Amino acid sequence: MPVIEVNGLTKTYGDRTVVDGVSFSVEEGEIFGILGPNGAGKTTTVECVEGLRTPDAGTVRVAGLDPVADHGRVTLLLGAQLQESELQAKITVREALELYSAFHPRPADWRPLAERLGLTERLGTRFAKLSGGQKQRLFIALALVGDPRVVVLDELTTGLDPRARRDTWQLIEDVRDSGVTVLLVTHFMEEAQRLCDRIAVVDRGRVTALDTPAGLIGRAAASTAVSFTPSRPLDDGELAALPGVGSVARKGGRVQLTGTDETVDELLSLLARRRVVAGGLRVVDATLDDAFLDLTAPTADTTDTTDTADTADRKEA
């Protein structure tokens, strides 16, 4: 049975629908990603899973429990790292870890967590004196200190440098390998592609696609990009007629095509027949970035208006 089930989730603020009939399920022990543009409703969705918001329609269940009606029971099995969090300015890292451990009947040992997240040398540092990246690592530790069955991570590695980001990815993979289910909200395509078993792409409050990273990449309009410098002229019309070709362009003497694996095969056959040498031939597979752009609508304003409004509403509450 899925450990998280979301069916027809809808949330509105005034006359604005932020989440519009979102449905997905998360299997025990998987890393499930939610990916989408700024303002798509990702944070509102996971806050309903955490029990921080009450849906206007639809149902949410965590291990069969309603996160709102059974909030106390859900908090014992679900850890959460919010998109924006604060602690008392004078609390030290050690005090925060000990305090959060005391909230749980069987907490994890926070010392290995602190070591793994590079916090050991900051145990005596007050929260206000931590850098942005150190605060982020502390909140990840606090999400995991209760030894949760499910952990929700909203913008997991925002503010972390590349090395700390990769170390954190390895930690999350280890957490999943220990049996913990991870619900991950992220803007980093590389992060989603490396960590997630499946991804729901959310755009304008709706799930537009749900698949494995490889499955989403396979949906990209052009799954392969090819570029080369021909040793003799080639007709653009002949290139455009290749099976599966998406586009043909020229830049600085180089030919650039997008298409499919079949396009590449037919291109190589064409070059052989025309006795054309492809100088500096490069063949690049599509990435999750390409799939994301194909699956989400462009917007004139990419400000995260939904999350900004949600955060303000949460602070007022």
Side-chain angles (χ1 to χ4, degrees), residues 16 36-42 83 187 203-204 298-309:
R16 184 163 58 95
N38 292 336
K42 305 182 300 298
Q83 188 182 60
H187 281 110
D203 189 24
R204 302 176 189 268
T299 57
D301 181 7
T302 59
T303 303
D304 200 346
T305 54
T306 298
D307 291 343
T308 301

Side-chain angles (χ1 to χ4, degrees), residues 224-226 242-243 259-269 281 283:
T224 306
V226 185
L242 293 172
T260 64
D261 290 344
E262 185 182 9
T263 306
V264 177
D265 292 339
E266 293 297 327
L267 171 64
L268 296 177
S269 296
L281 177 66
V283 180

Side-chain angles (χ1 to χ4, degrees), residues 126-157:
R126 298 187 187 278
F127 179 78
K129 298 297 184 181
L130 297 175
S131 68
Q134 290 164 351
K135 290 179 179 178
Q136 185 75 347
R137 293 198 293 273
L138 174 58
F139 287 126
I140 294 169
L142 296 179
L144 296 170
V145 76
D147 195 20
R149 180 178 171 188
V150 178
V151 64
V152 180
L153 304 169
D154 194 349
E155 303 300 341
L156 168 68
T157 56

Side-chain angles (χ1 to χ4, degrees), residues 93-103 110-111 142 145:
V93 172
R94 181 190 299 275
E95 290 168 342
L97 290 166
E98 290 178 342
L99 175 64
Y100 275 64
S101 293
F103 295 155
W110 58 261
R111 293 165 185 81
L142 296 179
V145 76

